[in-house]
Amino acid sequence: MEKLLKKAINIKDHLNEQYIEVARDDFRDACRYLWNEKDAILRLMFAVDERSISGSFKVHAVFSIPGMDRFFIIVLSLQEPVRPAHGPELVEGDDLSFPSLTVDIPAAHWYEREIRDMFGLNPQDHPDPRRLVFHESFPARSYPLRKDWAITDSDAKEWGEGMAEKEPYRFMQVEGEGIYEIPVGPVHAGIIEPGHFRFSAVGETIFFLEPRLFYTHKGTEKLFESFGFEDGVNLAERVSGTSSFSHSAAYCMAVERMMGVHLTEKAEAARTLLLEMERLYNHIGDIGNLCAGTGLTVGYARGAVIKEKLMQLNQRVTGSRYLRGVNLIGGISKEIFPHSDHIRSTLDIVTKEYKGLMKLLLGTVSHIERLENTGVLSREIARKLGATGVSARASGIPDDIRHAHPHLFYDRLDFEANTMAAGDVLARMMVRTADLECSISIIRTILDGRYQGENAAGTRAIPPFAASLGYTEGPRGSIFYWVMADHAGGVFRVKLRSPSFCNWPVVPFAVHGNIVPDFPLCNKSFNLSYSGCDM
Amino acid sequence: MIKGILKNIIRRKQAIRFPEEFQVPPDQELEIVDLKKKIHAIFRRSLRIRQVDAGSCNACEWECTALTNPVYDIQRFGMDFVASPRHADLLLVTGPVSRQMELALKKTYLATPDPKLVIACGDCARDGGIYKGSYAVANGVARVIPVDGCIPGCPPTPTAILKGLLDLLRYTRKPLDT
Ligand code: SF4
């Protein structure tokens, strides 16, 4: 660590975040050191267009080391080349590139391609230089997150029409005897989100899968910049429907840390409670949904009924089935604890029905057999590609933000980061069951307490150019927000990283060698959000 | 109880009461039964719905999925979600229509046989909702394909979606086809 800090040009501490700015030549070494020697996890990577402030683009790579409640943020400044006034536009070239980390740290793979699409900063020596976010008809050399970016109406129209090929995209191809391709999507058969999958199969066996996503890209990060910090909560709630509360809680946490606002005990308890309620309804729903993949209709229906009960509980407690409209900067907007009895009684019913459901599922050999040894994600791949949440824990990586970086009430609660070693669909289901049992006991513990304070602690002025991280463990895994204010306390940049962005890249590895009909099952076991990933 | 059910069948009334969880006030209950008759009349007892996600946040989809669970059980009204637009009478579109989904939505629309209805489901689908004005969305379904009706809400509850279907059908005259 000393060595790393010695190389730093600039070190800045803010709460548990340490910003370490390094020279271009040291960037790769610094990150490699954390990844290899410290076993650090790459939490997220993003760029900021700070040309109007410091004259440079900044690339940030956020790491955290297991067992340490601290974030190490390696920062690299990219100076814009000096050009004569009224000179030609910036051209994508050597000057606007940064050393790619992907070769050493495969988890950086998508982040770097995203940075290229959004900022036009080239990851030098990246093994896959294709576009990630934008499809072919998006104008070339157009980078939405640059502050001076705009799109003409005709370009936007052409983009929507989707016919023009402004920057080609080639699917990877597998060649060999008997190999054929199955393209699926973006519009699928079920009521699910859009994405395109291209299978290269041999007979029934999937040899290779290439997902093409970002069909639901809605320009969310740019949109945040046109909102105030307080209105941003509404948008954060709508990044990924079934993680509404986790997303808005992470966003609020980032803004609160930036302002220096501390929540009251009551607000903390309520947020923790609702985070667990969100996990609960998601996990029950997911366990039921797996049955749809194996044709066990009874299990599916029973799961759906339990989930519906929880959704209606949400509605009664917060006025929204998706727990929206509760979070606000500095606390929460509704009284949660007067509903304690109602929550308890619903939990009693749900616990009973859930036990019955599990008995049914675990006793149905045809169901369990389909789940076992299907969609195996090895620990090595999960680690290398930076999987998070249930997907990581089911492959033996005990990563849970609630433990790694305790926040809200989590350091006062007794619970486990549940792991399994097998990494198959069954393991992911069992991790979910263990997680949801934890959630139930956490909810009960919180309901038993008495909490002091107001619901909302109010807001404070934001120091110019302040920045901060916010994080929660959502139902799918860790959610991160990084926010930065401008000179007047307005929004300068919001980076959001949903767990699905980390977990999508591992899906092709998990389905390799499985049969095509098992793909829906594998996919359901990860239960990834397209909207959260595509932003 | 058997007597009651028999009586209902003879009177061609809704045999299954709405369970308590449904949270439908009694007057709406009647309207929904009314919807069933309407579907009988117009679509010969089967309204097939194809749900299309055009960039939604996924909460709208989950509410559509909830319609198929045993609590709401949309099938008993003669409606169901189908796997292909080619089997559909009605497109239920959610989301603000992200630019990268425009083409797919148009193709889905063209693949749906006439006569067809299109409902924009959710605030996003109506006019872009919270995403209105973003560079990457088309600000509502109506900007991309012709729309027959909207269901507001973010997300609309399953009951609201059902009611929205009713409202649309109330103004749709029989016969729909040519
Ligand atoms: S209307 Fe609301 S719930 Fe539906 S897709 Fe839009 S943001 Fe999501």
Side-chain angles (χ1 to χ4, degrees):
Chain A
M1 225 47 219
E2 299 252 304
K3 230 171 59 197
L4 173 69
L5 295 179
K6 232 182 255 163
K7 280 192 181 161
I9 306 175
N10 191 359
I11 298 176
K12 207 173 76 197
D13 281 298
H14 168 65
L15 304 171
N16 60 354
E17 303 157 29
Q18 185 166 45
Y19 294 81
I20 307 168
E21 187 168 344
V22 295
R24 187 193 179 92
D25 294 337
D26 295 331
F27 181 63
R28 218 177 244 171
D29 285 342
C31 296
R32 201 161 28 194
Y33 166 78
L34 286 169
W35 176 265
N36 287 336
E37 324 242 316
K38 295 281 173 190
D39 254 339
I41 299 168
L42 178 63
R43 293 294 184 190
L44 71 158
M45 222 179 138
F46 58 93
V48 191
D49 177 2
E50 281 190 17
R51 286 176 300 170
S52 57
I53 303 170
S54 61
S56 55
F57 287 96
K58 293 226 160 101
V59 176
H60 296 64
V62 183
F63 291 90
S64 72
I65 298 173
M68 231 172 158
D69 178 18
R70 208 160 167 67
F71 293 99
F72 299 94
I73 304 169
I74 310 291
V75 185
L76 173 66
S77 270
L78 299 173
Q79 221 70 28
E80 202 175 10
V82 187
R83 277 168 207 285
H86 315 296
E89 275 285 288
L90 275 182
V91 190
E92 208 175 286
D94 317 324
D95 303 332
L96 279 174
S97 66
F98 62 98
S100 160
L101 304 175
T102 302
V103 179
D104 303 307
I105 307 174
H109 177 195
W110 274 28
Y111 295 111
E112 293 185 337
R113 284 171 71 190
E114 188 200 15
I115 291 176
R116 177 184 173 269
D117 282 13
M118 290 299 187
F119 290 91
L121 308 175
N122 247 340
Q124 226 169 20
D125 308 324
H126 194 290
D128 186 356
R130 294 174 303 169
R131 272 184 178 171
L132 176 74
V133 178
F134 296 115
H135 293 179
E136 292 90 328
S137 60
F138 187 74
R141 296 224 179 113
S142 184
Y143 307 112
L145 285 181
R146 287 192 178 186
K147 290 283 174 189
D148 50 4
W149 177 84
I151 189 166
T152 62
D153 287 348
S154 65
D155 271 349
K157 191 160 164 276
E158 260 186 285
W159 179 21
E161 280 163 1
M163 295 306 198
E165 196 183 54
K166 303 205 170 153
E167 195 174 314
Y169 181 93
R170 300 273 168 266
F171 280 94
M172 284 189 247
Q173 260 177 346
V174 183
E175 283 176 6
E177 203 181 310
I179 293 195
Y180 63 101
E181 280 188 358
I182 316 172
V184 188
V187 178
H188 298 282
I191 308 179
I192 54 167
E193 297 181 82
H196 179 82
F197 299 104
R198 193 157 296 196
F199 299 94
S200 299
V202 193
E204 271 209 310
T205 309
I206 302 170
F207 192 75
F208 181 70
L209 160 67
E210 183 173 358
R212 177 127 211 242
L213 304 175
F214 297 90
Y215 282 90
T216 70
H217 175 72
K218 294 185 279 291
T220 311
E221 288 183 359
K222 187 88 176 172
L223 201 56
F224 266 115
E225 293 174 11
S226 65
F227 282 47
F229 276 118
E230 286 172 26
D231 297 337
V233 183
N234 293 332
L235 188 54
E237 280 175 345
R238 284 158 181 83
V239 168
S240 172
T242 47
S243 308
S244 295
F245 195 82
S246 318
H247 269 276
S248 57
Y251 172 80
C252 289
M253 179 178 174
V255 180
E256 285 151 7
R257 281 164 55 112
M258 188 171 72
M259 287 178 174
V261 171
H262 294 283
L263 294 191
T264 61
E265 198 186 23
K266 191 164 153 199
E268 284 196 339
R271 261 196 204 164
T272 315
L273 179 86
L274 293 175
L275 278 171
E276 295 309 317
M277 277 171 63
E278 184 166 83
R279 192 180 329 281
L280 188 58
Y281 87 72
N282 269 287
H283 282 352
I284 295 235
D286 290 347
I287 292 170
N289 276 341
L290 273 183
C291 303
T294 62
L296 186 65
T297 324
V298 201
Y300 172 65
R302 282 173 66 171
V305 170
I306 307 178
K307 183 179 170 191
E308 180 63 28
K309 288 197 171 133
L310 289 165
M311 303 299 280
Q312 289 181 5
L313 175 69
N314 291 349
Q315 165 114 38
R316 225 164 279 190
V317 174
T318 67
S320 157
R321 287 162 61 91
Y322 292 86
L323 305 170
R324 288 177 176 172
V326 182
N327 270 322
L328 46 85
I329 309 289
I332 49 164
S333 63
K334 298 204 166 77
E335 287 284 351
I336 304 298
F337 292 102
H339 299 280
S340 297
D341 289 338
H342 198 92
I343 301 178
R344 272 198 210 98
S345 63
T346 310
L347 273 192
D348 289 340
I349 302 172
V350 163
T351 315
K352 203 170 134 237
E353 291 184 4
Y354 153 76
K355 291 227 165 93
L357 173 66
M358 285 319 291
K359 209 169 143 203
L360 169 84
L361 297 187
L362 296 176
T364 308
V365 182
S366 61
H367 180 66
I368 297 302
E369 236 202 335
R370 283 282 302 277
L371 310 187
E372 244 182 329
N373 299 324
T374 304
V376 178
L377 174 65
S378 71
R379 187 177 202 278
E380 196 199 343
I381 299 280
R383 150 83 184 142
K384 281 199 172 147
L385 289 179
T388 175
V390 172
S391 319
R393 292 200 291 277
S395 297
I397 300 175
D399 179 42
D400 187 330
I401 291 285
R402 297 176 292 173
H403 272 289
H405 304 282
H407 51 287
L408 299 175
F409 248 54
Y410 289 117
D411 48 354
R412 276 162 270 179
L413 295 164
D414 181 26
F415 65 100
E416 301 271 313
N418 304 296
T419 56
M420 299 273 289
D424 54 5
V425 176
L426 183 63
R428 285 189 281 280
M429 181 178 100
M430 294 319 287
V431 168
R432 284 202 173 92
T433 59
D435 270 8
L436 80 83
E437 278 163 26
C438 274
S439 294
I440 293 179
S441 80
I442 291 178
I443 295 174
R444 286 192 197 281
T445 315
I446 293 179
L447 287 179
D448 287 341
R450 290 271 162 276
Y451 307 102
Q452 307 293 326
E454 297 291 313
N455 279 331
T459 57
R460 279 202 210 161
I462 299 167
F465 308 121
S468 195
L469 275 174
Y471 39 86
T472 53
E473 180 78 18
R476 299 181 169 96
S478 57
I479 295 172
F480 277 87
Y481 275 74
W482 186 83
V483 296
M484 178 175 172
D486 62 10
H487 61 282
V491 183
F492 190 76
R493 170 99 165 95
V494 174
K495 167 69 198 165
L496 73 92
R497 201 279 272 137
S498 80
S500 304
F501 190 85
C502 303
N503 287 341
W504 267 115
V506 305
V507 174
F509 289 90
V511 301
H512 170 81
N514 287 267
I515 54 173
V516 179
D518 272 346
F519 173 70
L521 197 57
C522 300
N523 204 1
K524 283 193 174 84
S525 75
F526 285 102
N527 181 29
L528 301 178
S529 157
Y530 298 65
S531 180
C533 170
D534 303 355
M535 295 178 293
Chain B
M1 186 186 146
I2 292 178
K3 226 180 182 178
I5 292 176
L6 271 179
K7 208 162 86 192
N8 279 340
I9 291 175
I10 293 164
R11 288 200 198 152
R12 305 188 108 237
K13 256 194 152 180
Q14 181 69 31
I16 317 161
R17 296 287 306 175
F18 290 92
E20 196 198 325
E21 294 96 331
F22 204 94
Q23 296 177 339
V24 185
D27 55 321
Q28 284 185 16
E29 218 170 89
L30 269 179
E31 285 183 24
I32 291 168
V33 176
D34 186 36
L35 166 69
K36 190 176 179 181
K37 287 196 197 128
K38 194 93 189 187
I39 295 171
H40 269 257
I42 301 177
F43 293 101
R44 305 259 167 267
R45 73 171 57 199
S46 78
L47 176 65
R48 303 281 113 166
I49 305 168
R50 168 70 238 197
Q51 196 278 331
V52 188
D53 176 339
S56 107
C57 76
N58 203 20
C60 277
E61 274 73 68
W62 278 114
E63 295 303 56
C64 295
T65 312
L67 278 175
T68 64
N69 74 24
V71 177
Y72 299 99
D73 191 14
I74 193 175
Q75 278 109 337
R76 68 189 151 141
F77 303 112
M79 287 187 261
D80 202 0
F81 289 96
V82 289
S84 163
R86 298 201 191 279
H87 305 157
D89 305 307
L90 185 147
L91 291 183
L92 191 65
V93 189
T94 58
V97 192
S98 57
R99 296 264 182 224
Q100 318 218 85
M101 269 308 285
E102 267 186 62
L103 180 62
L105 178 61
K106 277 185 206 149
K107 283 188 177 169
T108 310
Y109 179 76
L110 292 177
T112 314
D114 283 325
K116 59 192 160 199
L117 293 168
V118 177
I119 290 194
C121 174
D123 289 350
C124 282
R126 190 176 52 184
D127 62 355
I130 194 154
Y131 289 102
K132 185 151 70 184
S134 164
Y135 67 88
V137 305
N139 294 338
V141 181
R143 304 251 174 147
V144 183
I145 56 172
V147 167
D148 298 285
C150 287
I151 302 175
C154 183
T157 59
T159 325
I161 299 178
L162 212 45
K163 277 228 14 158
L165 289 169
L166 161 72
D167 286 343
L168 175 74
L169 291 175
R170 186 176 293 145
Y171 297 111
T172 306
R173 298 252 169 269
K174 178 198 169 192
L176 238 194
D177 43 355
T178 41

